[in-house]
Amino acid sequence: MATIKAALIPGDGIGPEVTSLTLKVLEAAEVPLEFEVFELGEPAIKKYNEPAPEELLNELKKYNVMLKGPLTTPIGTGYRSVNVVLRKVFDTYAVVRPARSLPVSWLYHDVPRYSNIDLVLVREATEEFYAGIEHDIVAEGERIAAESIGVVTRKNSERIIRFAFEYAKKNKRKKVTVVTKANVLKLTGGLFLEVYRDVAKDYPEIEKEEMLVDNMAMQLVLRPKDYDVIVTTNLMGDILSDLISGLIGGLGVAPSSNIGDKYAIFEPVHGSAPKYTNQWKVNPTAQILTATSMLRFLGLNEKAELIEKAVFKTLNEKKALTYDMVRILKNAGFSDIKESSNREFTEEVIKNIKQII
Ligand code: NAD
């Protein structure tokens, strides 16, 4: 098999940990991938005084496919989110976040309605309230107000909504639900909804549905199986994607991808969880499953299947589970499960890969 070249952005916080464990898994599965490493985020701030220096971004353009760990964005003030910058620079306008119940039955012991969920959230990633148009209003040296401008364009709404319908068609999905807050955000939400109604006419075979985001949040918790493909704007999608991760076991197991016409960036839903940095405690499953989404994108389906089988076997065996999984088991009444490090978990995954091979 010819070697495929890709970029690796380990990220910061827990990023370098979960990406290094993922590389071990890829190696054990003999995946024909060669990575060039790009240290954006905190390491770049130390070296270049800037989290996403132009020269690294230009170098990154050599690679159409990137595997990425999480990157920290300081809250309130400071640098602009590198995640937002990357999605803009590489125009990866579609964040695709599947929430599929993992084949690990104990995960749903407490809430059986969360088994057999299979929905996909498609989130627009370049505009609305993440367009980065924000400013303070200052009077007599005091910040008296702040304004954020949410930009929704017809062109970008059309491409994400069409992406969602095409995704549904290709993956034999039945319904595309659009989520807005068009009752209050009458213009931005209203335009997105108007474009959805127009684009939907081209897909008569696919069921349509319109939801307001607040109701959607409740319905997803109560009746997650009623949903199939969901398409929404940037901020709404960011919030709902953590919610749907919660339905399937939490951020420790939720993969994601950012797809554009030229580039694709694969990263987990979770962030850099700075309080756990260097503790080798957090679950690498989300990052590993993110890598398997990338393998499928590259047509390496057998390798993806092998790794997924080994991960699910390891989770089912319960021999070495990270703290988040142990917490779920304890809530479900299994009190005798001890917590393992993510290195121990990864060793079990690797053992299982070798056994399956
Ligand atoms: P977070 O996702 O980093 O963590 C939230 C909580 O989820 C953590 O406290 C932890 O308990 C849990 N968690 C996250 N990843 C886990 C894992 N792999 N295993 C087990 N538990 C896990 O969100 P946050 O604390 O709000 O954000 C921290 C930083 O990450 C912020 O700077 C934020 O901007 C950034 N962030 C980056 C990305 C990205 O790189 N795409 C995404 C979200 C947040």
Side-chain angles (χ1 to χ4, degrees), residues 12 14 18 68-75 81 83 87 97 238 242 251-253 267-276 281-287 322-324 327:
D12 53 32
I14 58 167
V18 289
K68 175 185 166 296
L71 284 161
T72 306
T73 306
I75 292 178
S81 164
N83 302 306
R87 288 176 193 148
R97 297 195 160 163
D238 194 4
D242 271 34
L251 290 177
V253 297
E267 61 178 341
V269 176
H270 68 71
S272 58
K275 68 179 178 194
Y276 292 124
K281 194 176 158 75
V282 295
N283 198 341
T285 300
Q287 187 76 52
T322 48
Y323 82 96
D324 53 328
R327 201 181 275 168

Side-chain angles (χ1 to χ4, degrees), residues 159-170:
R159 72 174 176 173
I160 192 70
I161 291 164
R162 206 167 277 290
F163 180 98
F165 274 103
E166 285 296 320
Y167 181 97
K169 204 167 140 181
K170 194 167 152 212

Side-chain angles (χ1 to χ4, degrees), residues 58-70:
N58 283 336
E59 280 289 297
L60 259 172
K61 286 182 183 152
K62 284 193 305 208
Y63 297 97
N64 299 95
V65 175
M66 306 171 203
L67 180 63
K68 175 185 166 296

